[in-house]
Amino acid sequence: MAKQNNKRDFRRSNIPNGGYNKKQENVKVNNGVFVYNRALTVGELANELKINAAEIIKFLFLNKKMVTINQTLDDETIGLICLQFGYDFRKEKLVSEENFEEMEIVDKPEDLKSRAPIVTIMGHVDHGKTTLIDAIRNSRLVDSEVGGISQAIGAYQKEIDGHKITFLDTPGHEAFTAMRSRGAAVTDIVVLVVAADDGVMPQTIEAIDHAKAAGVPIIVAINKIDKDGANVERIKSELMNYDIIPEEYGGDTICCEISAKKNIGIKELLEAIIVVSEMLELKANPDRYAIGTVIEAKLDKGEGPKATLLVQNGSLTTQDYVVVGTAYGKIRRMTNEYKKIVKVATPSTPVSVIGLSEVPNAGDHFMAFPTEKQAKEIAFKRQLIKKQEEQNASGGMTLDDLYNRIHEGETQIVNLIVKADTTGSAEAIKSSLVKLCNEQVKLNIIHCTAGAITDSDIMLASASGAIIYGFNVRPSSLISQKAEQQKVEIRLYRIIYDLLNEMEAAMKGMLKKEIVERVTGQAEVRSLIKISKIGTVAGCYVTSGSIKANSLIRLIRDGIIVYEGKIKSLKRFKDDAKEVKEGFECGINIENFNDIRENDIIEGYEMVEKE
Ligand code: GDP
């Protein structure tokens, strides 16, 4: 009994809604746009739009819809009403338990405690990632760590000088991007391993680009310094070509010189991680129901679905019910990397759990709830949402999307990945593309290298909504399939100009259409007739182009514009004319203007969208 009370105390239960804050319902008029995220009745909508409910009822009645003031309106009707009463409208997603990954977690500053950084190790193949992971795992830094880690759960924690660090076990950027493409921002810091006897290689660059795209700071581990050919300075200067400027050269990237194999510099690397993590001021609230990400999962023959959960905020206990992806379950047992039972997993702690109803996917989000009823309900709603989402799946971006976004925001940022046959052409394409940028469209080249289009490119594209531009490269059918699944567009070219022209065309499509003036023609005033009630009618001769009845005009006298306005009537003899062409005579009466003189020029013009 006492134990249970402890559990309750642990929560301190001062957070509403069972430990997480829903994003508030939002219904408001903002800059002429009616923004809402929930169902509304006629009365409520009238109130928000500051109009009389009777006006809405009348408007709908005239549109053959009978409603009462307390009736709930569907989105289409809300849109119609907004437009009718002079508002634009936008429906936002209501963020609630069902889509907890989108929930904005708001913790009171006083509830926040420092949490351990979560670190991913990346780098080129054979540069020593696995060796480094093992070296860190097996390093005996504090006496309390009896023996090495006994269970591979995809992540583990290390402690140095009283600070914990969480390492994700899977080296390479596949895991990193796979997570990110599922919307899971897990990593706080990337350790980039570069072999001192080799240098910056394609996957090094990829890793840099991945980290940058995710906005995650990099610590460089220059590895294999024990080797004969090791040249640390060369690595540093190569890295500078990719905007990774070491501290000693005035930049802000810490470079550690290590030998993963000989266990040199590992402690210093860990210390550097602590330094960077302190700058990041990573915090979480241990006193809320846990929220986090699945690191890995499998079906265990004896124990059923087994998953490693990384708690990112809150604390997970064996009393909790969790929703993971679309599954739910009660945590039956939690263990850490030493196979030790864990009762409470605080922020940044990875734990292996059993008790879930299905095997989730790596990268799935999870959230804990106090009751089974709640967890079950939410899992069920999530299943429905997932089904709907699968029906209208979207991933990367297509050129068509670009066109379609024409009228949306101000500056459009287009993420691109460029893969070319040689480094030279990759660089050439990159610099030409950069030149295409203008005020309204910014091309953001998140990754640009020589080489074939890979799995990792597709994932990066999917994660960042990028288009892949391939130059003299061809994706394998497997890669094409993947791209299709992830809805990533790959565009292939053999001639640089084709690539640039198409990009430029797409960008033009994206540009907000500029409205420009186009002169249709000019007419010379040759005689004047004053008619009572109508005013002055100018007898004109069209000297160029044509004058149209519905066009705008300006009156020019001795080269100076004396009036701008509209034509009231355009006549050929006694009849109204729509248009009078060059070489013909016509009578023009200008709306609200009678001071016309002989030899004035009437110029017709219209406003058109510029290409
Ligand atoms: P990964 O592909 O990046 O995971 O690289 P591995 O960790 O598998 O290492 C590739 C090779 O480099 C292995 O043969 C390692 O033993 C070797 N290696 C890794 N770190 C060092 C080091 O610090 N010094 C030396 N001499 N060899 C290393």
Side-chain angles (χ1 to χ4, degrees):
M1 209 47 219
K3 226 176 181 180
Q4 279 216 338
N5 278 340
N6 268 344
K7 284 272 151 45
R8 226 171 279 144
D9 284 345
F10 161 72
R11 297 270 186 237
R12 292 197 292 273
S13 295
N14 56 356
I15 302 158
N17 306 327
Y20 52 91
N21 296 332
K22 287 183 191 178
K23 191 172 173 189
Q24 294 302 309
E25 283 181 349
N26 185 19
V27 181
K28 63 169 187 274
V29 174
N30 193 357
N31 275 338
V33 183
F34 176 64
V35 185
Y36 68 108
N37 62 5
R38 65 170 172 89
L40 290 158
T41 65
V42 172
E44 287 171 324
L45 181 60
N47 198 20
E48 292 299 331
L49 299 183
K50 300 209 168 30
I51 48 176
N52 201 319
E55 288 185 69
I56 294 185
I57 295 171
K58 184 174 145 205
F59 165 68
L60 292 180
F61 179 77
L62 293 175
N63 283 282
K64 302 190 173 60
K65 249 186 198 162
M66 297 281 280
V67 294
T68 63
I69 190 162
N70 293 321
Q71 197 160 326
T72 304
L73 296 163
D74 61 39
D75 290 337
E76 194 186 334
T77 312
I78 290 178
L80 279 176
I81 295 168
C82 286
L83 293 178
Q84 169 69 18
F85 293 97
Y87 294 92
D88 207 341
F89 60 95
R90 186 173 77 238
K91 184 168 187 184
E92 287 182 340
K93 233 181 180 178
L94 176 62
V95 179
S96 59
E97 301 97 319
E98 299 91 86
N99 46 3
F100 51 71
E101 34 283 88
E102 290 179 43
M103 210 155 63
E104 195 183 343
I105 296 208
V106 191
D107 283 308
K108 289 195 212 121
E110 64 266 28
D111 291 336
L112 291 171
K113 306 257 153 57
S114 291
R115 64 167 177 85
I118 298 159
V119 179
T120 301
I121 294 173
M122 302 211 265
H124 194 69
V125 65
D126 275 349
H127 279 199
K129 296 178 294 289
T130 316
T131 314
L132 176 61
I133 285 171
D134 288 343
I136 296 169
R137 196 205 309 254
N138 299 323
S139 62
R140 190 84 66 81
L141 299 161
V142 279
D143 293 341
S144 62
E145 281 176 5
V146 271
I149 289 164
S150 44
Q151 170 172 237
I153 62 168
Y156 60 87
Q157 282 199 316
K158 269 282 149 180
E159 198 177 318
I160 176 158
D161 303 333
H163 298 281
K164 280 188 174 154
I165 305 173
T166 304
F167 285 94
L168 297 185
D169 229 350
T170 351
H173 42 252
E174 287 80 4
F176 183 81
T177 29
M179 290 259 179
R180 221 165 71 76
S181 70
R182 301 182 54 87
V186 175
T187 304
D188 299 309
I189 297 170
V190 162
V191 168
L192 179 67
V193 179
V194 192
D197 63 335
D198 197 6
V200 171
M201 299 302 280
Q203 284 166 289
T204 319
I205 302 163
E206 268 183 30
I208 293 172
D209 292 337
H210 285 309
K212 277 190 184 163
V216 175
I218 294 172
I219 294 175
V220 178
I222 302 178
N223 190 28
K224 307 198 188 183
I225 53 161
D226 59 299
K227 281 185 107 174
D228 280 347
N231 185 342
V232 172
E233 288 313 309
R234 199 190 72 223
I235 306 292
K236 287 183 187 170
S237 75
E238 280 180 16
L239 284 168
M240 293 210 274
N241 294 333
Y242 300 92
D243 276 343
I244 303 283
I245 319 288
E247 275 185 326
E248 47 280 29
Y249 293 131
D252 51 12
T253 305
I254 302 183
C255 292
C256 297
E257 296 169 26
I258 65 162
S259 166
K261 197 174 177 179
K262 301 243 157 100
N263 247 308
I264 303 167
I266 304 299
K267 187 158 184 267
E268 287 74 12
L269 175 62
L270 299 183
E271 283 165 354
I273 294 171
I274 296 298
V275 168
V276 172
S277 81
E278 275 172 357
M279 286 193 300
L280 295 174
E281 294 186 18
L282 305 167
K283 289 196 167 136
N285 175 10
D287 191 19
R288 62 157 58 249
Y289 281 81
I291 188 157
T293 302
V294 176
I295 300 299
E296 60 174 44
K298 62 177 181 209
L299 188 65
D300 187 282
K301 273 193 197 127
E303 297 176 310
K306 195 172 187 181
T308 298
L309 305 184
L310 177 67
V311 178
Q312 290 174 279
N313 200 353
S315 293
L316 189 64
T317 80
T318 35
Q319 301 290 303
D320 294 340
Y321 293 86
V322 285
V323 176
V324 188
T326 54
Y328 78 99
K330 180 169 192 297
I331 304 275
R332 277 201 281 128
R333 202 185 68 208
M334 292 202 291
T335 50
N336 65 12
E337 61 272 34
Y338 301 102
K339 276 195 174 161
K340 277 199 183 144
I341 298 279
V342 178
K343 289 241 163 74
V344 178
T346 52
S348 294
T349 310
V351 277
S352 173
V353 303
I354 54 169
L356 301 175
S357 58
E358 312 166 10
V359 181
N361 293 311
D364 276 348
H365 297 262
F366 76 85
M367 187 161 191
F369 294 90
T371 66
E372 179 170 18
K373 184 168 170 276
Q374 231 176 331
K376 196 170 169 180
E377 237 167 54
I378 287 157
F380 182 67
K381 281 188 192 160
R382 285 168 67 88
Q383 281 163 21
L384 285 180
I385 293 171
K386 192 180 172 200
K387 252 190 216 147
Q388 279 168 5
E389 278 175 0
E390 276 167 2
Q391 279 159 9
N392 40 29
S394 78
M397 203 189 196
T398 65
L399 262 201
D400 278 346
D401 292 338
L402 293 198
Y403 288 111
N404 293 338
R405 291 188 186 185
I406 294 169
H407 295 296
E408 281 180 8
E410 267 65 64
T411 306
Q412 299 274 349
I413 297 179
V414 183
N415 287 335
L416 295 180
I417 292 174
V418 177
K419 297 302 291 254
D421 52 345
T422 64
T423 321
S425 49
E427 283 305 315
I429 292 166
K430 186 174 178 179
S431 59
S432 313
L433 283 173
V434 167
K435 281 190 203 130
L436 288 182
C437 291
N438 58 36
E439 269 174 24
Q440 291 179 20
V441 187
K442 191 172 170 291
L443 297 178
N444 183 24
I445 299 161
I446 52 176
H447 183 55
C448 174
T449 50
I453 298 167
T454 63
D455 228 19
S456 139
D457 295 325
I458 306 287
M459 296 219 259
L460 180 61
S462 170
S464 357
I467 300 178
I468 300 179
Y469 272 67
F471 179 70
N472 276 334
V473 294
R474 294 215 64 86
S476 67
S477 57
L478 197 74
I479 291 292
S480 300
Q481 260 176 26
K482 277 236 164 101
E484 212 165 286
Q485 276 163 12
Q486 305 268 335
K487 303 261 187 295
V488 167
E489 179 166 27
I490 300 180
R491 299 188 76 87
L492 302 168
Y493 302 87
R494 294 185 57 79
I495 299 166
I496 291 195
Y497 288 108
D498 287 348
L499 185 158
L500 296 176
N501 285 341
E502 250 193 68
M503 190 68 223
E504 205 174 350
M507 286 172 64
K508 276 191 184 147
M510 286 177 73
L511 293 177
K512 274 192 244 142
K513 288 265 162 82
E514 201 181 321
I515 306 291
V516 291
E517 175 192 310
R518 190 170 66 94
V519 173
T520 59
Q522 284 190 342
E524 212 176 270
V525 179
R526 300 215 162 150
S527 62
L528 295 160
I529 313 156
K530 292 205 161 71
I531 305 174
S532 61
K533 284 191 186 150
I534 292 176
T536 307
V537 174
C540 302
Y541 178 80
V542 182
T543 51
S544 67
S546 72
I547 299 293
K548 292 181 181 172
N550 59 1
S551 75
L552 298 161
I553 54 102
R554 59 174 62 96
L555 192 73
I556 303 165
R557 186 171 300 154
D558 301 323
I560 292 166
I561 298 168
V562 289
Y563 183 74
E564 283 191 286
K566 274 185 357 203
I567 290 180
K568 191 171 174 194
S569 75
L570 175 70
K571 289 194 188 280
R572 276 279 295 151
F573 304 111
K574 289 235 171 321
D575 301 319
D576 282 318
K578 271 193 178 151
E579 183 178 10
V580 180
K581 295 217 164 98
E582 184 180 343
F584 291 92
E585 287 179 340
C586 59
I588 297 175
N589 177 221
I590 301 175
E591 201 174 275
N592 302 326
F593 190 79
N594 290 308
D595 177 26
I596 311 176
R597 298 183 199 169
E598 270 182 33
N599 298 325
D600 282 353
I601 305 286
I602 294 175
E603 187 178 70
Y605 67 98
E606 49 197 16
M607 303 307 289
V608 291
E609 285 185 347
K610 192 179 168 187
E611 261 265 316

